[in-house]
Amino acid sequence: MKNTITVLCYPYVCCVQAQVLYDFTAEPGNNELTVQEGEILTLTKQNVGSGWVEARNSRGNVGLVPEDYIEVKTILIISFVFDFTSLFRDFDIHRSLVFQSVILLLSVMVILCHMAVGSVYSFDEEWDDDSDDGKSTGGYGGSQVEESGTMQRGGAHSTMKLSLNKFPGFSKTPNPEVYLLTKHISKGDDRLPVYTGEVGPVWLYPQIQLDCVVADPKKGSKMYGLKSYIEYQITPNTTNRPVNHRYKHFDWLYERLVEKFACALPIPCLPDKQVTGRFEEEFIKMRMERLQGWMSRMCRHPVISNSDVFQLFLNYRDEKEWKLGKRKAEKDEIVGVKIFSNIDPELPELDPAQVEQKYEMYSQFTRSMDNSVKELLAVGHLHWKRCTGPLQKEYRQIGKAFQNLSSVFNTSAYPREYTLTEALTATGKTYEEIAEIVAGQPKKDLHFLMETNHEYKGLLGCFPDTIAVHKAAIDKVKEADHLVVMNKISQQDKLIMEKNLSTMSYALQAEMNHFHSNRIYDYNRLLQFYLEEQVKFYETIAEKLKKALGQYTTM
Amino acid sequence: MKNTITVLCYPYVCCVQAQVLYDFTAEPGNNELTVQEGEILTLTKQNVGSGWVEARNSRGNVGLVPEDYIEVKTILIISFVFDFTSLFRDFDIHRSLVFQSVILLLSVMVILCHMAVGSVYSFDEEWDDDSDDGKSTGGYGGSQVEESGTMQRGGAHSTMKLSLNKFPGFSKTPNPEVYLLTKHISKGDDRLPVYTGEVGPVWLYPQIQLDCVVADPKKGSKMYGLKSYIEYQITPNTTNRPVNHRYKHFDWLYERLVEKFACALPIPCLPDKQVTGRFEEEFIKMRMERLQGWMSRMCRHPVISNSDVFQLFLNYRDEKEWKLGKRKAEKDEIVGVKIFSNIDPELPELDPAQVEQKYEMYSQFTRSMDNSVKELLAVGHLHWKRCTGPLQKEYRQIGKAFQNLSSVFNTSAYPREYTLTEALTATGKTYEEIAEIVAGQPKKDLHFLMETNHEYKGLLGCFPDTIAVHKAAIDKVKEADHLVVMNKISQQDKLIMEKNLSTMSYALQAEMNHFHSNRIYDYNRLLQFYLEEQVKFYETIAEKLKKALGQYTTM
C-alpha cells in the first residue's frame, strides 16, 4: 500500500507590471520617478509604504511612484508539473477519499503559490547608507533611514533612540535612580536655571536669540576623488563667521545632543538620509532646507543653543579646535539622567501628586497632537495628489474640450464666427493655465504646511521617551516610603528624591512651555502663510477667468 | 465500461452588495438614490450604462447611483455537489486520463458558474412607459426612452425617427424622387421663401419673434382619479393667452413636426420620458425646464413657429378647435420630402456640384461638432462627479483636520492659546464651507453648460438623417443623364430635377445658417454665464479664506 504523490510546483513570477493613469512629476531629491499617463512600468518594490511603490520605466530608471497613479496588471507565469500516475499505481483505498485529498492538495498548492508570490512582494528594504561619510558612530543608522518619504508622505518618523543603550547601565528607559538619590549643587557654567515666567516655569532665554544660516552646499572629495560628499556652510548670527560641516557632522551633533539632553528635552531627528540622487541639485537644496529647519529649531532652544557641543559646532575656528572639542564632547560625563543635576529651579518644591498629574496631561496632549498632525499630513498628502493628478488632468481636458469646440466652430464657413471662436480658444487656454496653477499650487503652500507638520510629527515622536524617564522617576519616589521601611534608603534619601523629582518636573514644565510657545508661533505663521497663498491662488484663477470672460461680446 | 459522472452544480448568487465610498445626493426627478458614505447597498441592475448602477438601500428604496461612488463586494454562495463515487466504479481506463478529465470538468464548471453569475447581471432594461397618457400614436416610444440619464450623463440621444416608416413608400431614407420629378409652383400661405441675407441664403424671419412661457404644472386626473397626469400651461407672447398641454400633447406635436419637416429641418427630440418619480415636485420642475427649452427652440425657428400645427398647439381656443385642428394636422399631405415643394428660393439656380460640396461640409461640421459636444459633456460629467464626490470629501477632511488640531491645542492649558485656536477653528469651518460651495457649484454653472450641450447633442444627432435626404437627391440627379438616355425621363424632367435640387439646397443652406446663428448666440450666452459663475465661485472662496486669515494675529 504505497501511495506516492509527486507534485512539482514551479511558481515563476515573471514580472509585475503597471500602467500609469496620470502624469506624475517627481519631486527632486525624493527618489521619485517622473512618469506619463499610459506608460508601462515594472514594479520593483510594492511595499515601500505610505502609498508609494518603486517602479522601473522602459528606460531602466527606477524610482518611487504614488500607487494611486498606477493600475497594477500582474502577469504571473506559474507552471505546475503534476505526477499523478503514481497515485493510482496501487489503488486500493477508498477512491472518493483519494479524490478529496487531491482537491485538498490543489487548494494547498494555490495557497503555496500565493505565498510564493507574496514573498516576491516582500523585499527587505535596502537603503543607501550615505556611505561616503562612513558608518556613523551611533547605532541608529538602521532605523534613522526607516522613512524614505518626503514630508508629504506622512510616513512614520523615527523617535529618539533612548532605547538603544545610549546610556550605559540602563536597559530600556534610562533609570532616573542614579540622579534621584544624589544631592547636587548646580555649579557655575553648566547651571540650567528655571524661572517663573508669565506662563509658568520657563528656561532662561538669552537676550539675543541665536540663529544661523545653512547655505552654499559644496561638493568635496577625499581618497583621491574616490569618495565625494557635500559640505554645507553654516553661519551663526553671533560670530557671522561661516563654518563648514558635512551631513555626518550634523549626525555627530545629533548623537551628542541625544546623549546629553534627551532625558530632559526631546531632540528631533535630523532630516532623513536619502536613498539615491545624492548629487542631484534639487535634492541638495531640499536637504539643506531641512537641515536649516533643524538647526533653527536647535538655535531657538535656550538650553541646547547654549551647550558647549552646540557652540563648538557653530564656532570652531580650525580643524584642531574642532577635533579637540569633539573629543571633549564625547567624553562628557553629564549625559542621560545626570543632566537633571544641572537644573536649578529657583522655585518652591512640588508635590509628587501634582507632578504626576501634569505628566499625564503632557502625555495626553502630545499624543493627541501627534494624531492630529498625522491626520493633517494624511489629508494634505491626499490633496497634493488630487491637485497634481486627477484635477490637473481634468482642467486640461476641460481646456482641450473648449479649444476643440472652437476649432470646429472655426470650420463652419459662417461669416460671424470670429469673436466666439477667439473667446472660446482663450477660455480653453485659460483652463489649461488653471490646470498648471492647480498642479503647481501644492509646492507653493501645501509644501510648507506639510514640512512644518512633518517636523512636529518628528518632535512629538520624541516626547513619549522623554516623558517615560519622568514617569519612571515618579515610580521610584512612590517606592521610596517602602524602601525607607526596608532600610534600603534613609528618610534623608527620600527627601532628596522628592526634591530631585521636583527639579525634574520643573525641567519638563519649562520644556513644555518652550514647546507650546514655539508651537503657537509656528502654527500661527504657518496658517497665515498658507491662507495668504490660498487666497492668492483663488484670486489668480478668478482674475484669469475674468479676462477670458472679457473676450465675449455682450449681447 | 460504463463511466458515469454525476455532477450536481447549484450556483446560487445570493446578492451583489456594494459599499458607498462618497456621499451622493440624488438630483430630483432622475430616479437617482441619495446615499451616504459607508452605506451598504444591494445592486439591482449593473448595466444601466453611462457609469450608473441601480441599487437598493437598507430602507428598500431603489434608484441610480454613480458606479464610481461605490465599491462592489460580490457575495456568491455557490454550492457544488459532486458524485464521484460512480466515477471509479468500473475503473478500467487509464487513471491519469480520468484525472485530467475531472480537472477539465472542474474548469468547465467554474466557467459555467461565471456564466450563471453573468446572467444575473444582464437584466433587460425596463422602462415605465409614461402610460398614464396611453400609448403615443407614433411608433418611436421604445427608442424615445432609450436614455434614462440626466443631461450630465452624456448618454446617446435618440435621433429623429425618419427611418421608421414615417413616410409611406420609403424604406429607409425618405426617397426624394417623388418631389424631384414634380414641377411645383409654391402657393400663398404655405410658401416658404428663402432670401439672401448677409450670411447667405436665409429663411424669412418674422418681425416679432415668437416665444412662449411653459409654467404652472398642475396635476390632473381622469377615469375617476384612476389615472393622473401633469398639465403644463403654455403662454405665447403673441396672444398672451395660456393653453394647457400634457406631455402626450407635446409628443403629438413632435410627431407632426417630424412628419412634416424632418426632411428639411432637424427636429430635436423632446426631453426624455422619465422612469419613475413622475409626481415628485423637482422632477416636474426639471421636465418643465426642458420642455421650455424645446419650445423656445421651436419658437425661434421661423418655419416651424409659423406652421399651422405649431400655431394650433399654442393658440387653440377650446377643446373643439384643438380636436378639429388635430384631425386636420394628422391628415396633412404636405409631409416628408413634399415639404420642399413649399420652398420658394428667390435666388439663381445652383449647380449640383456646388450643392454636393456644401453638403459634404455640413456633414463634416455637424459630425465634428457632435464629437466636440460629446467630449465636453464627458469631461463635464467627470468634473461634476469630482466636485460633488472626492473634492467635497477632501475639503471636509481638511476642515475637520484643522478643527481637530484646534481642539487639541485647546487642551494645552497654556495661557496664550486662545487666538490661535479660535483662528484655527474658523479656518477649519471655512474649509468645510468651501467643501459645500465646491459640491454645490456644478448645479449653479455646469448644469447650464451640460443642459445646453445636451440639447445640441440632440439637435446634431438629427442632422445626418436630414442631410441623407439631400444626398439621396443628389444621387438621383446624378442618375438623371442616364435615365434620359434610357428614355425613363425626359430632358425636361432632368431640368426640373436640377431646379428642384437647387431648391432643396437653398432650404438646407437656410437651415444651416439658422443653426449657425442660433449656435453662436447660444454658446456666447452660455460661456459668458458659465465664466461669470466661475469667477464668482473663485472670488467667494478667496473672500472666505481672507476672512479666516484675518483672525490670526500678525507677529
Side-chain angles (χ1 to χ4, degrees), chain B residues 23 103 132 159 170 226 244 288-289 311 406 415 446 475 508:
Chain B
D23 288 357
I103 285 165
D132 66 321
T159 58
F170 300 114
L226 277 177
N244 291 324
M288 196 177 73
E289 253 181 59
Q311 289 289 330
S406 173
L446 193 52
D475 292 342
L508 190 57

Side-chain angles (χ1 to χ4, degrees), chain A residues 312 316-327:
Chain A
L312 169 76
Y316 77 91
R317 276 158 215 271
D318 51 36
E319 203 59 21
K320 196 184 159 201
E321 195 175 333
W322 170 244
K323 294 228 159 139
L324 278 170
K326 262 184 86 173
R327 217 167 299 154

Side-chain angles (χ1 to χ4, degrees), chain B residues 138-314:
Chain B
Y140 72 99
S143 43
Q144 166 74 4
V145 292
E146 75 183 57
E147 184 179 22
S148 72
T150 60
M151 293 303 174
Q152 302 85 264
R153 285 179 200 158
H157 200 287
S158 49
T159 58
M160 287 189 297
K161 296 307 168 302
L162 285 183
S163 46
L164 293 173
N165 289 325
K166 281 277 158 53
F167 311 97
F170 300 114
S171 61
K172 284 199 153 185
T173 296
N175 190 333
E177 205 166 355
V178 182
Y179 161 71
L180 283 174
L181 284 166
T182 324
K183 191 167 169 68
H184 309 276
I185 299 140
S186 310
K187 302 155 288 178
D189 277 359
D190 290 339
R191 192 176 151 265
L192 298 171
V194 175
Y195 296 102
T196 301
E198 279 178 49
V199 298
V202 289
W203 298 116
L204 174 65
Y205 285 84
Q207 292 282 319
I208 298 154
Q209 191 178 287
L210 180 62
D211 204 356
C212 69
V213 174
V214 182
D216 203 16
K218 274 200 183 68
K219 196 171 159 178
S221 67
K222 59 179 184 177
M223 289 175 70
Y224 309 101
L226 277 177
K227 288 202 166 196
S228 55
Y229 52 82
I230 302 296
E231 207 163 49
Y232 302 88
Q233 197 181 70
I234 302 110
T235 314
N237 60 350
T238 43
T239 63
N240 215 18
R241 189 168 42 77
V243 293
N244 291 324
H245 282 296
R246 286 156 59 187
Y247 184 86
K248 98 167 184 184
H249 300 161
F250 284 95
D251 204 13
W252 175 86
L253 174 64
Y254 167 74
E255 288 282 305
R256 297 287 82 65
L257 295 178
V258 167
E259 271 190 359
K260 191 167 178 67
F261 294 118
C263 285
L265 322 169
I267 309 292
C269 283
L270 278 182
D272 308 312
K273 290 192 179 180
Q274 201 54 40
V275 190
T276 57
R278 260 196 312 250
F279 299 119
E280 210 184 329
E281 218 171 282
E282 294 232 25
F283 157 64
I284 293 165
K285 203 181 136 217
M286 174 85 69
R287 177 181 267 183
M288 196 177 73
E289 253 181 59
R290 291 178 186 173
L291 285 173
Q292 172 74 70
W294 189 81
M295 282 302 288
S296 291
R297 190 160 296 279
M298 296 298 102
C299 284
R300 275 207 258 170
H301 199 291
V303 175
I304 293 167
S305 65
N306 200 38
S307 68
D308 287 349
V309 65
F310 199 76
Q311 289 289 330
L312 169 76
F313 188 82
L314 284 182

